[in-house]
Amino acid sequence: MYEPIRAKSVHSTMAGTPHDFPHRSREEELDIQLAGHLAALLAVTDELRVTAPSADLDTAAERLAEEVARLRGGRTPARASATTTGREPNAAALHRRAHALAGRALVVAASRADTAAAILAAERMDAHTAALQPRTLASSH
């Protein structure tokens, strides 16, 4: 009634050859993930540099670019252009996004024990938290 199966099952063929496709180690996966978070943080930092230029943001952008390049084996990350797009982004929204990205980078850096990236991410979290705080006048006393 039924014709017997003449070819090997796709499932048994794939299960029998574990080395047919490349595998990445956990460390490599974490490197890729950390580089992605830091590259996204760099893009938001570049947006902030256009909106509210500062020496702190310039330094942060350079340090982020160095970390991304280190994690990507020397390949420099793509950078946002220094021109505005016609619609000005909300600086507070950019700082909140940057804070969230720095937090994600910090979690991944801590899990892979990358001290340099963890310190940089923590510093950026602090900087973006400070930027979101309301300004108080020192002469109010």
Side-chain angles (χ1 to χ4, degrees):
M1 186 163 179
Y2 294 105
E3 188 175 338
I5 298 173
R6 294 181 183 158
K8 287 186 177 182
S9 167
V10 173
H11 300 290
S12 65
T13 303
M14 291 191 69
T17 56
H19 301 291
D20 284 351
F21 57 94
H23 292 280
R24 289 192 281 254
S25 68
R26 180 175 190 274
E27 290 77 24
E28 290 170 324
E29 289 292 339
L30 289 174
D31 282 349
I32 292 166
Q33 192 175 37
L34 180 57
H37 290 317
L38 291 176
L41 180 57
L42 175 59
V44 174
T45 301
D46 282 340
E47 280 187 69
L48 277 167
R49 289 174 58 217
V50 171
T51 305
S54 76
D56 177 55
L57 289 173
D58 292 343
T59 302
E62 290 308 313
R63 290 178 61 202
L64 287 165
E66 289 169 7
E67 281 298 309
V68 173
R70 177 181 65 84
L71 290 165
R72 290 183 175 167
R75 291 185 315 236
T76 58
R79 300 290 300 267
S81 64
T83 61
T84 57
T85 59
R87 144 182 104 74
E88 283 297 315
N90 179 354
L94 289 174
H95 282 294
R96 282 191 294 274
R97 189 169 11 150
H99 184 272
L101 288 166
R104 290 182 192 122
L106 178 59
V107 169
V108 177
S111 70
R112 69 178 291 279
D114 187 330
T115 306
I119 290 171
L120 177 58
E123 288 173 356
R124 296 318 308 152
M125 283 183 74
D126 290 344
H128 294 295
T129 299
L132 289 168
Q133 297 301 317
R135 304 283 186 231
T136 58
L137 297 176
S139 61
S140 63
H141 284 30

